[in-house]
Amino acid sequence: MHRKSLIFIFLITALFSFKLLELSKVKKDFIYVVPKIKNFEVLERNIGEYTLSPIGGNILKEKIEQRNFLNGSLFYNVPNGEYLLKGKYKDDSDEYILKKQKNWEKIYLNLEGVKFSKIQEVFLNFLTACLIGFNIFIYLNSRHRIPKGNSLKVIFFLLIGKMLFSLRIGFQNNYLIMAEYTITRVLLFLLIFYFLENILSKKFKKFRIFIWSCLGIIYFYNIVTLLILYSPQFYVYLLEESPVFLNIVRTARRVIDLTRIIFIITLFQFFIQRRKVRKKISFSWIAIGITYFVLEFFRELFPKERNLYYFIELMEICYIYWCLVFYIFKIYTENVMRAIRYSIGVTLSYISLFYFKTLTEPAVILGTIIILDFYTNIIEGIMKYKNEAVDKIYNRLCLVRDVKTFEKLLQKEILKNVTLVDVKVKILFDPEEYKEFITEGDDNEIVISKDMIKLEEYSSAYRIEFNENKYIALIFVEEGDTPLTIEEQNFLLDLSNKIGSIVSKIRLDSLYEELI
């Protein structure tokens, strides 16, 4: 059903696009000015100042109209003739004398705004390559936890594709801009679909309808934007035939964006789970939330820092993706933490180079260390949080001697501390008995994902081990409409790691009783 609906939508989109492009082919007499500025924002306004002056007295300058287009400018109502084109952006300026003889012309100006030396350009690309490398490292260390066929794997490769576009290369054209824009939109749509399918409970029907309505609007204006990227003639067509519609598209792009939808879903999800957040680490969650807010509203908070818009958007998408992966699949290792720490360092280095052109200033180095250390402690405070109830449960379980009593008591204590639909505890006696419950074993992971569990009614399982015995018990859990919080996940992990010795003792006692 979903596949047929998608095919129908794509067919309608293709027909709609083809018709609009055909209508716009009649437009001519315009000049498209392209600077060397990295594409900050499609349909962004006020990026650079441009003037087009006729050379000679046969052409009236007053008839020529101008609109900002992509990261440059577009002049229309421009008859054939000779012109002087001037451009200025920040401290850069350039001019070009052209003789217009075609229906429309594309002119390139050497404007960048923020100039870097060759060494600095190499260093910026080196930082980007490091960021790509760290993300690949994190993925390689966590991919075994992501189920086969999961859309998060596809999203990761799209994320790497977007990172590759952030490299500072010497050329840029509309086709590269289209490719980057398409990859980013597909990536964000897939992230939102994943949120709707796996995070947001289906019982919130009105909120889900609101999100789907917003996605419909976003899909429509993204198609229009792609047509504008593909054909400047289509942009001229909208300027002359439907300027109100163009303003609506631009306004919708600013107000209802894909990253803003993810922000709204995240805020809503946090609101409905706010009571599960423990007061001891509330400051850590506040810090994470403020960071996400700054990334999402960077354009509004720092309207003059246009050169960083693209990189900030990239970091926000990385932030969303890895938070989602860590949250869903309970991934945390020291190596992953180290890669996250270095990624934050690369980000700070990249941003500081735009302002100071070097990383040698003591203030920048000191600020980098302080911020890096701060966020390291914040993340470790959340991911390594210890639940005091684990010790109390351990002490109670030490008094139990019977297998069935132990399983029932452990089940009761877990349901008391974690919001779950159901829990099943199974102590295993035979070394191969675990194969009756899971399809394959991974001795390195405590958490067993749903696709490896033979009991379909449970969403995940936790393995209990002791010394060389990797499977002495299993804890099966069934989550409700809302996924477990990180604190609840850590509670189950800590409990599974701590009670291994008790389970082993009960197994030995039970086997001894059978012998006598």
Side-chain angles (χ1 to χ4, degrees):
M1 182 64 183
H2 290 296
R3 183 176 296 179
K4 290 182 179 179
S5 299
L6 287 174
I7 293 174
F8 176 75
I9 291 172
F10 288 144
L11 285 175
I12 294 298
T13 300
L15 293 173
F16 170 77
S17 302
F18 179 77
K19 182 63 177 177
L20 289 177
L21 290 175
E22 282 294 315
L23 289 173
S24 64
K25 282 185 177 180
V26 298
K27 297 300 176 182
K28 57 182 181 179
D29 290 340
F30 66 90
I31 295 175
Y32 173 27
V33 184
V34 186
K36 198 181 175 182
I37 308 167
K38 180 71 178 176
N39 182 43
F40 304 122
E41 181 70 10
V42 175
L43 303 180
E44 180 65 276
R45 293 183 178 182
N46 305 320
I47 298 180
E49 299 175 4
Y50 305 90
T51 59
L52 185 70
S53 304
I55 298 176
N58 297 327
I59 303 172
L60 296 177
K61 184 179 178 180
E62 290 75 14
K63 291 186 177 181
I64 299 175
E65 297 188 53
Q66 178 195 4
R67 292 288 186 279
N68 286 334
F69 178 61
L70 302 183
N71 59 342
S73 188
L74 189 143
F75 295 90
Y76 62 104
N77 292 333
V78 181
N80 290 347
E82 196 170 2
Y83 298 89
L84 174 63
L85 174 64
K86 293 183 178 181
K88 183 178 180 182
Y89 178 62
K90 291 192 173 182
D91 297 328
D92 277 355
S93 61
D94 193 20
E95 60 181 46
Y96 184 85
I97 296 176
L98 68 129
K99 189 172 184 180
K100 182 179 177 296
Q101 297 176 324
K102 304 176 184 177
N103 287 337
W104 64 280
E105 301 272 359
K106 180 187 288 188
I107 307 298
Y108 293 89
L109 289 181
N110 188 27
L111 292 179
E112 190 173 0
V114 179
K115 284 188 174 293
F116 295 98
S117 66
K118 287 290 184 181
I119 295 177
Q120 290 169 338
E121 290 278 0
V122 170
F123 183 68
L124 284 171
N125 284 330
F126 171 74
L127 291 177
T128 304
C130 287
L131 189 63
I132 294 172
F134 290 139
N135 275 269
I136 293 175
F137 176 83
I138 297 173
Y139 177 77
L140 292 177
N141 278 267
S142 57
R143 63 178 176 176
H144 60 283
R145 295 290 299 279
I146 304 175
K148 295 178 181 178
N150 193 290
S151 60
L152 286 175
K153 290 189 175 181
V154 177
I155 294 172
F156 172 76
F157 289 105
L158 292 173
L159 179 61
I160 294 299
K162 182 171 176 61
M163 289 183 183
L164 291 173
F165 278 102
S166 68
L167 291 168
R168 299 178 66 84
I169 56 179
F171 66 93
Q172 179 175 260
N173 58 46
N174 277 19
Y175 295 107
L176 287 176
I177 295 174
M178 280 184 64
E180 187 278 329
Y181 188 83
T182 303
I183 287 174
T184 303
R185 267 61 208 168
V186 172
L187 188 162
L188 290 171
F189 268 114
L190 289 177
L191 274 174
I192 293 173
F193 294 156
Y194 194 89
F195 269 91
L196 293 173
E197 187 67 26
N198 298 279
I199 301 295
L200 186 62
S201 174
K202 291 179 173 58
K203 68 180 181 181
F204 302 109
K205 294 182 180 180
K206 291 183 179 179
F207 184 73
R208 293 174 71 89
I209 290 172
F210 166 74
I211 295 298
W212 281 109
S213 300
C214 291
L215 291 179
I217 296 171
I218 292 170
Y219 177 78
F220 177 74
Y221 75 62
N222 272 293
I223 294 300
V224 173
T225 302
L226 281 172
L227 293 178
I228 289 173
L229 285 167
Y230 177 76
S231 171
Q233 287 176 292
F234 181 61
Y235 186 61
V236 176
Y237 175 82
L238 292 178
L239 282 172
E240 294 182 349
E241 305 297 333
S242 187
V244 175
F245 173 77
L246 188 61
N247 287 331
I248 292 173
V249 170
R250 184 182 287 115
T251 302
R253 172 68 181 91
R254 296 175 187 278
V255 176
I256 314 174
D257 192 17
L258 290 169
T259 57
R260 194 64 48 86
I261 294 297
I262 296 176
F263 181 82
I264 292 171
I265 295 175
T266 305
L267 194 64
F268 181 83
Q269 187 67 22
F270 183 80
F271 178 78
I272 63 177
Q273 289 192 309
R274 66 191 184 281
R275 294 182 179 178
K276 293 185 179 182
V277 177
R278 299 182 183 275
K279 292 182 179 179
K280 290 185 178 180
I281 59 168
S282 58
F283 174 76
S284 298
W285 280 115
I286 291 172
I288 293 294
I290 291 174
T291 303
Y292 187 17
F293 179 86
V294 171
L295 289 172
E296 173 59 28
F297 292 93
F298 187 86
R299 290 180 177 84
E300 289 76 12
L301 296 172
F302 307 99
K304 294 183 180 180
E305 307 305 330
R306 298 178 183 276
N307 294 74
L308 288 173
Y309 284 1
Y310 186 91
F311 187 75
I312 293 298
E313 181 189 54
L314 174 62
M315 294 314 302
E316 180 183 3
I317 296 173
C318 286
Y319 184 97
I320 294 168
Y321 177 80
W322 287 116
C323 283
L324 187 61
V325 171
F326 295 158
Y327 181 78
I328 294 293
F329 301 107
K330 296 87 172 171
I331 296 168
Y332 175 77
T333 65
E334 290 296 332
N335 287 333
V336 168
M337 189 65 240
R338 185 174 294 118
I340 294 173
R341 190 178 301 137
Y342 284 126
S343 296
I344 296 173
V346 167
T347 302
L348 295 174
S349 300
Y350 194 100
I351 293 173
S352 61
L353 185 56
F354 268 84
Y355 288 99
F356 304 103
K357 297 294 182 69
T358 175
L359 295 176
T360 57
E361 286 86 348
V364 176
I365 296 175
L366 180 61
T368 300
I369 294 173
I370 292 173
I371 295 174
L372 196 57
D373 184 65
F374 173 76
Y375 278 101
T376 298
N377 291 331
I378 289 296
I379 295 172
E380 287 185 347
I382 292 175
M383 303 302 290
K384 286 189 172 181
Y385 175 76
K386 299 292 183 181
N387 194 308
E388 296 174 357
V390 172
D391 291 331
K392 296 179 181 179
I393 296 172
Y394 177 86
N395 293 331
R396 293 192 192 102
L397 293 174
C398 285
L399 304 174
V400 180
R401 295 290 180 267
D402 178 68
V403 172
K404 293 297 181 183
T405 305
F406 180 92
E407 291 176 346
K408 289 181 179 179
L409 179 58
L410 181 55
Q411 178 186 16
K412 179 181 176 182
E413 293 293 343
I414 292 173
L415 289 172
K416 187 189 300 182
N417 288 274
V418 183
T419 306
L420 292 167
V421 175
D422 189 24
V423 175
K424 176 183 176 65
V425 180
K426 179 63 179 177
I427 295 179
L428 308 173
F429 294 91
D430 187 272
E432 301 296 316
E433 189 178 355
Y434 73 91
K435 293 182 180 179
E436 297 177 15
F437 303 95
I438 59 177
T439 55
E440 56 181 313
D442 186 349
D443 296 346
N444 297 318
E445 295 295 336
I446 298 298
V447 183
I448 302 170
S449 60
K450 183 178 179 62
D451 61 319
M452 295 172 60
I453 300 173
K454 292 183 179 180
L455 304 179
E456 296 181 356
E457 62 269 32
Y458 296 101
S459 53
S460 62
Y462 291 76
R463 178 176 60 84
I464 299 175
E465 63 178 15
F466 184 71
N467 291 337
E468 298 300 318
N469 298 318
K470 299 300 182 180
Y471 291 88
I472 61 175
L474 291 168
I475 301 173
F476 298 92
V477 299
E478 172 59 22
E479 300 178 15
D481 290 328
T482 57
L484 299 179
T485 63
I486 289 178
E487 293 80 22
E488 291 174 327
Q489 296 166 16
N490 285 338
F491 168 83
L492 291 170
L493 286 170
D494 292 345
L495 185 62
S496 301
N497 288 324
K498 185 147 190 167
I499 65 175
S501 59
I502 309 175
V503 175
S504 179
K505 185 176 182 302
I506 289 179
R507 289 171 74 245
L508 291 174
D509 290 344
S510 178
L511 291 171
Y512 179 75
E513 289 178 4
E514 288 180 7
L515 290 175
I516 61 174

